[in-house]
Amino acid sequence: MEIKTNSKLEKVLKNGHMAVTSECGPPRSSDSAGIIKKGHLIKDHVDCINITDNQTSVTRLCSLAACIHLKNEGLEPALQMVCRDRNRIALQSDILGAASFGINSILCLSGDHQSFGDHPSSQNVFDLDSMQLIQTARYMRDEGKFLGGDEIKEPPNLFVGAAANPFADPFHIRVPRLAKKIAAGAEFIQTQCVYNLDKFELWMKGVVERGLHEKVFILPGITPMRSVGMAKYMARAVPGMDVPKELIDRLSGVPKDKQAEEGITIAVEAIERLKECTGVKGFHIMAIEWEEKVPEIVERSGLYPRPDVG
Amino acid sequence: MIIGEQKPFDEIWEMVKDHKQLLVFGCNTCVAVCHQGGNKEAEILASLLRMRATQEEIDIDIINGGIERQCEHPFFESAKDLLDKSEAVLSLACGIGVQFVAEKYMNTPVYPALNTTFLGDVKADGLYTEKCQACGDCVLGVTGGVCPVSRCCKRIFNGPCGGSSNGKCEISKDLDCAWQLVVDRLEALGKMDDYEKLAPVKDWSKDRAGGPRSFKLEDF
Amino acid sequence: MIGVNPERVEFYNLSAAQGPRWAEICTEFTEKIITMGPSPIWFALQKKKQSAETEKQFA
């Protein structure tokens, strides 16, 4: 498979290895020390580190700046970009900015609605949607032009990814929606965190039936539960999240001080099971504010050390 | 049609209380349908303002009136005398009407009694829902008659997003997910193949972003 | 918003043939209002009248 960018993630995937990615949230501060520390915690256990973009519409140090900090530390960041806060001018501009610092991967997202965050009275932009942002990033790279048609002197060379949520409704369009993202130009997919393994495998079945697993690299999202409280909260309050009752029961059945450990074990078991699932090409481990557990999860799942792809 | 909601009474009172004479001026078309700004509502509001003025021992001569529509010149004929003599006007029209009156009466302060909220339908008596945002480039033909601009809170053209849950939008359980509705309609019409067509990037210059819009018919 | 107790307003539904019921309602409601006393609007109007008369006296 032809390698198009300098993205370590692309190289790992196209060389036939299982990829591991993770994600970190920047601080609500102008001090970058925290995000740099998180990056160093996980750098040897993942192929690239996503930096979230004002996640849940809560204002944070921007993804681009945090990516630059990590890049300066010799790490491999992936820029997450939402459509909520920037118009097409700013989006293309930030893509050029990222490329100018040698940031190699981008994840194109719609973005949570601003009513969830700390500035619910703000305007939202949504000049483009995530599908159109994927097209834009690919167009800039492959055609070397801005959306408006003008030439880009030095086109940005980014490995382009998108998100998928097999657990949102309506279920029956979630495979067609993946097809659409692939048609738009997505090269890798990171999914919403997977707890309902049966449903995920059902979605993958539909994906494989259409041969989509050969057109895009799919990385299911894995988030370890820290407590039964967290599991209940996610089941109740997070849209598009599917937390099976068996999982909540399993965590309840364990004493409070052992629940975190159990959560990690559940995550590792999920990875072991999904490794066998056709079409799964790696894992996206999201342990937000619990990044110190990522190395353990990666090691216990037999995904360490990470391959050296030069 | 245009939907508006009367401002809180205290807010209206604060706007007008310093005048000695006031015309409470209704508009009997759109805002009468949602029972907020019609001539009848103007009469009621005038009465409430008089009661408030009396209690606060403030002397204001408050009269009420109204016309069919405050957005077209001919309708103002019948109220010309009333408006000429008014020191101030509290208009119950939508923002359009308020501005129209202000333009016609440069030296008379005009206050809005309503907050103009949206373009919507009368789903049921007393229930009005937003249906159009006047984006200037209608895509209803390809979305099975459901508008992604006004009914999707992220105005996604290739939806739904990952927050759609049980046919409801992530921001509220009371809000239908517009893209669930689009999918339902496409299914009913046997047009699910259209779902995978990538919607092109929107030209927002035809919308508010391009600046205030106007439309002129050449043969007039 | 205008300081009047909502209990001063009541909606009843009856037909023209319900004479006795009408008389009943009128009596009931009158008694209720008498117990509640004059409304704040009445007091305000009284005050207005008095100050208008006082002004006339001094004029």
Side-chain angles (χ1 to χ4, degrees):
Chain A
M1 253 186 184
E2 189 205 341
I3 307 232
K4 295 192 185 152
T5 73
N6 289 322
S7 163
K8 185 169 178 219
L9 177 62
E10 186 189 10
K11 290 177 191 162
V12 167
L13 289 166
K14 289 187 176 171
N15 277 307
H17 304 287
M18 275 272 162
V20 177
T21 59
S22 187
E23 126 179 344
C24 292
R28 305 203 68 195
S29 158
S30 52
D31 181 359
S32 60
I35 190 80
I36 293 174
K37 184 157 162 262
K38 285 182 193 174
H40 280 294
L41 261 175
I42 63 178
K43 66 174 189 270
D44 298 320
H45 289 79
V46 302
D47 303 317
C48 97
I49 305 170
N50 285 29
I51 302 293
T52 60
D53 183 6
N54 295 317
Q55 195 173 27
T56 335
S57 305
V58 172
T59 317
R60 297 176 179 276
L61 195 154
C62 68
S63 177
L64 180 54
C67 284
I68 295 167
H69 282 295
L70 291 196
K71 188 77 192 179
N72 286 341
E73 296 280 314
L75 274 50
E76 176 86 5
L79 178 72
Q80 280 192 197
M81 201 174 241
V82 301
C83 299
R84 176 195 57 234
D85 308 323
R86 297 180 183 80
N87 66 7
R88 66 191 74 173
I89 299 171
L91 291 166
Q92 291 178 93
S93 175
D94 285 357
I95 288 175
L96 290 184
S100 75
F101 275 97
I103 291 159
N104 296 310
S105 313
I106 179 175
L107 192 77
C108 304
L109 306 162
S110 305
D112 300 316
H113 193 264
Q114 71 276 9
S115 56
F116 288 108
D118 62 335
H119 291 90
S121 9
S122 72
Q123 182 61 271
N124 62 20
V125 183
F126 294 115
D127 180 6
L128 302 179
D129 62 29
S130 62
M131 212 68 81
Q132 293 160 346
L133 181 56
I134 297 166
Q135 286 178 298
T136 302
R138 285 294 303 269
Y139 189 72
M140 291 173 84
R141 180 183 93 194
D142 300 334
E143 306 297 319
K145 292 190 184 147
F146 291 108
L147 262 185
D150 292 344
E151 300 257 317
I152 304 176
K153 276 221 190 84
E154 179 77 34
N157 201 17
L158 298 168
F159 189 46
V160 179
N165 190 356
F167 308 103
D169 294 315
F171 183 71
H172 66 279
I173 54 98
R174 291 293 156 184
V175 172
R177 191 156 167 71
L178 181 69
K180 228 176 154 175
K181 288 202 170 172
I182 295 169
E187 297 173 297
F188 72 93
I189 298 284
Q190 289 166 330
T191 78
Q192 177 66 291
C193 31
V194 179
Y195 298 107
N196 187 337
L197 299 168
D198 291 335
K199 193 160 191 191
F200 182 77
E201 286 172 350
L202 182 62
W203 181 69
M204 283 305 298
K205 198 157 155 279
V207 169
V208 169
E209 254 161 31
R210 285 185 63 164
L212 300 174
H213 62 304
E214 284 164 6
K215 297 186 183 164
V216 79
F217 298 103
I218 297 174
L219 283 68
I222 303 285
T223 298
M225 292 292 194
R226 292 179 87 141
S227 68
V228 72
M230 177 179 163
K232 284 182 180 166
Y233 173 75
M234 289 179 95
R236 188 190 71 237
V238 183
M241 186 72 70
D242 186 342
V243 183
K245 191 174 169 298
E246 300 79 61
L247 200 146
I248 298 178
D249 290 343
R250 181 171 165 180
L251 283 169
S252 314
V254 162
K256 204 153 185 225
D257 59 342
K258 291 262 181 271
Q259 282 175 3
E261 215 178 284
E262 189 71 9
I264 306 260
T265 304
I266 294 171
V268 172
E269 285 172 12
I271 294 176
E272 292 291 359
R273 176 167 157 185
L274 293 178
K275 267 192 200 171
E276 308 303 317
C277 182
T278 313
V280 169
K281 295 292 184 347
F283 297 93
H284 179 55
I285 303 176
M286 299 179 268
I288 295 274
E289 300 307 322
W290 210 19
E291 289 81 2
E292 63 267 24
K293 291 295 175 186
V294 172
E296 183 189 333
I297 296 171
V298 175
E299 285 174 22
R300 281 173 63 184
S301 313
L303 293 166
Y304 183 77
R306 299 308 309 140
D308 183 4
V309 283
Chain B
M1 60 195 324
I2 301 173
I3 309 292
E5 281 171 65
Q6 250 190 39
K7 284 177 173 287
F9 184 73
D10 287 332
E11 193 184 329
I12 297 176
W13 173 245
E14 287 302 314
M15 281 194 289
V16 300
K17 68 178 191 212
D18 295 325
H19 288 285
K20 290 273 153 276
Q21 199 273 341
L22 180 72
L23 169 63
V24 182
F25 197 46
C27 175
N28 233 20
T29 306
C30 306
V31 291
V33 172
C34 50
H35 306 288
Q36 300 296 304
N39 295 345
K40 183 165 53 119
E41 283 76 33
E43 199 178 332
I44 296 170
L45 184 58
S47 193
L48 289 171
L49 288 166
R50 281 183 212 115
M51 285 195 249
R52 180 70 174 263
T54 309
Q55 284 181 88
E56 295 210 7
E57 299 178 43
I58 294 178
D59 246 322
I60 320 179
D61 174 25
I62 301 174
I63 50 175
N64 60 275
I67 53 177
E68 229 17 65
R69 282 214 273 287
Q70 289 188 28
C71 53
E72 286 186 62
H73 292 296
F75 294 104
F76 280 85
E77 291 303 309
S78 58
K80 189 172 183 309
D81 287 338
L82 213 57
L83 286 162
D84 285 345
K85 286 192 300 216
S86 298
E87 179 196 316
V89 178
L90 175 65
S91 168
L92 276 76
C94 70
I96 301 165
V98 176
Q99 291 184 69
F100 207 77
V101 176
E103 230 174 84
K104 280 173 93 70
Y105 291 89
M106 284 283 286
N107 299 315
T108 312
V110 184
Y111 303 99
L114 262 57
N115 288 322
T116 306
T117 42
F118 55 87
L119 302 177
D121 59 4
V122 187
K123 206 160 181 167
D125 240 329
L127 178 61
Y128 317 98
T129 61
E130 184 164 16
K131 284 290 179 356
C132 174
Q133 281 206 346
C135 72
D137 197 355
C138 191
V139 298
L140 287 173
V142 299
T143 59
V146 179
C147 175
V149 180
S150 57
R151 302 176 71 181
C152 171
C153 69
K154 301 179 186 176
R155 55 184 196 188
I156 293 178
F157 283 85
N158 295 285
C161 73
S164 178
S165 198
N166 279 323
K168 299 294 175 187
C169 177
E170 70 181 23
I171 70 170
S172 166
K173 287 201 170 64
D174 298 322
L175 209 56
D176 288 334
C177 166
W179 278 93
Q180 173 76 59
L181 295 173
V182 172
V183 167
D184 292 343
R185 275 283 291 178
L186 290 178
E187 270 174 346
L189 295 168
K191 277 187 168 179
M192 271 311 281
D193 289 336
D194 279 359
Y195 178 75
E196 283 192 36
K197 293 194 185 140
L198 280 162
V201 159
K202 182 83 162 172
D203 180 359
W204 294 108
S205 71
K206 295 181 182 160
D207 183 63
R208 180 211 67 84
R213 296 162 281 180
S214 60
F215 176 47
K216 189 172 157 68
L217 284 170
E218 287 314 318
D219 16 337
F220 274 67
Chain C
M1 34 185 183
I2 44 165
V4 178
N5 189 332
E7 284 186 40
R8 293 181 182 274
V9 180
E10 191 72 60
F11 281 84
Y12 297 88
N13 187 16
L14 66 173
S15 87
Q18 288 174 277
R21 175 69 187 130
W22 167 239
E24 209 177 57
I25 290 170
C26 289
T27 318
E28 260 172 40
F29 202 74
T30 311
E31 279 167 13
K32 183 176 174 188
I33 294 295
I34 289 175
T35 323
M36 291 179 82
S39 81
I41 311 283
W42 185 88
F43 279 115
L45 283 168
Q46 289 299 101
K47 222 178 173 185
K48 197 174 180 180
K49 224 194 266 174
Q50 275 168 9
S51 55
E53 278 172 13
T54 323
E55 269 175 42
K56 233 200 249 167
Q57 276 181 6
F58 283 114

